[in-house]
Amino acid sequence: MLSSTVRKHGLAVAGICAMLLVGTACSDTKAADPAPSGPQNSASPTGGPSTPGSSSTPSEDPAAANVQIVPAKGASAVKPDQPVTVTSTGGELSDITLKDSDGNKIDGSLNEDKSVWTAEPGLKPGAKYTLSGTAKGTDGATIPISSTFKTMAATGGKLKASVAPLDGETVGVAMPVQIFWNNPVKDKAAVEKRLKVTTSVPVEGTWSWQNSKQVNYRPKTYWPAGTKVTVDIKTQGVNAGGSIWGSANRKISFTIGKSVVSNVNVAKHTMTVTINGKLARTIPITAGKDGFTTRSGVKVIMEKFRTKRMDAATIGIKPGDPNYYNISNVQWAQRVTSSGEFVHGAPWSGGAQGSANVSHGCVGMSLKDAQWYFGQTLRGDPVIVTGTSRHMEKGNGWTDWNETWAQYKAGSALA
């Protein structure tokens, strides 16, 4: 153990808070007695008032260097967005590590002369942290740095994210990134600043808040085929407002598949499928009859089913009604709205496909065409419907592409 007297290694150690004295020359000068320190009135390396919530001890020896830690050692109600720093006025810092009680590490970085270490933002609420490292004097001798503190609890709740698409998924060119929060976000700007999208090729995009519990991201135009996308949700420690604090970070990566863009013309009873910019097939279809008009707009494939039971009761049509149906095995079904519109095989309407609209709102086609189409598409591919006066409602499915770019950008809290 080092003594309080600076010997041939030139080190003076004060045993209070997290203040370390790093010797810069050989001396027999006795270090000053430790001065009281606390969250609000501890001394700074220069002798003036220190940063609130810091731990420090001054020295009367001009050859000694002070080390200051923020927040103070033993602090018990640190805000999760509190910056964590270690500062030396003379010696070099090294091997600074900040971990929570589960062993999770908070990354940080040193400045150029290694006199200041700063942690990246993002402490967990209601967690205990341990900070460790070393300080080295100009004579090469080192002493340890050690401090602990606790963060305040998230009394209003913890903020966590669910994300679409899934990590590792390959999706279509119109797939929006969707983040669903378990608690409402009041400070949308603070949260949005902690969201980042990285792409393998340059892509212009923006976040757009759908409501207080959902924020989406889409590019200005469809994703380029083959693009690799990474989404960093670094919201641990963010103050979302109302005493709700981010409690975890997430990262997902996904890939954009080939470009498959479908255009349904309800008036002409056809669907054209363009793959990687080339017309691949024109398919005769039937769409919604009077009273069940298919919505026009840009729809996005949300789910894919080899077979799907379709029961009219789910859209309010009861058994006994002439329009009631309950089909147990609709084949090659792909959902495009939350309200129940699908693109699927419909062998029962073969006589109308290409000439009349007889469905309850879905786009129906032959089983042969439906199977081929099912094999070409991915979740996230666009289906653009025209030819009706009924339009898509916001939120009835993945409706991000029914707004202009200017409208969508206006939904950003940072716009």
Side-chain angles (χ1 to χ4, degrees), residues 19 35-38 41-51 54-58 68:
M19 189 59 230
S37 66
N41 60 2
S42 57
S44 73
T46 57
S50 73
T51 304
S54 65
S55 300
S56 63
T57 302
Q68 185 181 60

Side-chain angles (χ1 to χ4, degrees), residues 170-213:
T170 299
V171 296
V173 296
M175 183 75 189
V177 177
Q178 302 166 85
I179 300 178
F180 304 92
W181 308 106
N182 66 320
N183 278 303
V185 174
K186 292 184 178 180
D187 193 341
K188 295 182 175 69
V191 170
E192 190 176 330
K193 287 176 182 177
R194 303 284 283 276
L195 308 177
K196 183 180 180 181
V197 176
T198 306
T199 54
S200 59
V201 297
V203 175
E204 182 181 0
T206 185
W207 293 98
S208 187
W209 288 85
Q210 309 300 296
N211 51 61
S212 65
K213 297 184 73 173

Side-chain angles (χ1 to χ4, degrees), residues 246-270:
S247 61
N249 295 328
R250 288 197 64 182
K251 178 185 284 190
I252 66 159
S253 296
F254 61 93
T255 302
I256 306 301
K258 64 185 178 183
S259 173
V260 180
V261 180
S262 306
N263 284 273
V264 175
N265 189 318
V266 173
K268 294 183 177 180
H269 318 293
T270 60

Side-chain angles (χ1 to χ4, degrees), residues 37 91 115 134 145 165 180 203 229 282 285 298 300 318 329 363 380 408:
S37 66
S115 64
T134 58
I145 295 172
F180 304 92
V203 175
V229 185
T282 299
I285 60 97
V298 183
V300 178
K318 298 179 180 179
N329 62 340
V363 172
Y408 199 77

